[in-house]
Amino acid sequence: MPLYLIADALDAYEAAQAARLDLQSRYEIALDAGDRLGVRRIKRLAADYDLRHPDEPPVLDDLTPAA
């Protein structure tokens, strides 16, 4: 496999992981702020991410909502 293909695959993986962490962070911030609209919006974005990355666990599975 050519090196540029490996580099492209690594870049895509890193971008996907950064997007995943961003969604998790934004979700936690919205929960802490009590932003119900923001939480709903981020849940929709997370569902879209999950559909595009079926081999990964769902984005928001590792997070527990604040009591």
Side-chain angles (χ1 to χ4, degrees):
M1 180 181 266
L3 187 57
Y4 72 89
L5 291 177
I6 294 172
D8 287 346
L10 183 59
D11 289 344
Y13 174 79
E14 288 174 348
Q17 293 305 308
R20 182 181 185 85
L21 289 174
D22 180 59
L23 284 171
Q24 290 174 339
S25 298
R26 290 171 56 191
Y27 183 73
E28 289 178 335
I29 290 168
L31 277 177
D32 289 344
D35 182 4
R36 293 186 310 176
L37 180 61
V39 168
R40 287 187 5 216
R41 182 173 9 102
I42 294 164
K43 281 184 177 181
R44 286 193 304 269
L45 290 170
D48 178 62
Y49 179 91
D50 292 339
L51 285 174
R52 291 184 287 117
H53 299 88
D55 296 335
E56 296 181 16
V59 173
L60 301 180
D61 265 9
D62 295 339
L63 306 176
T64 56

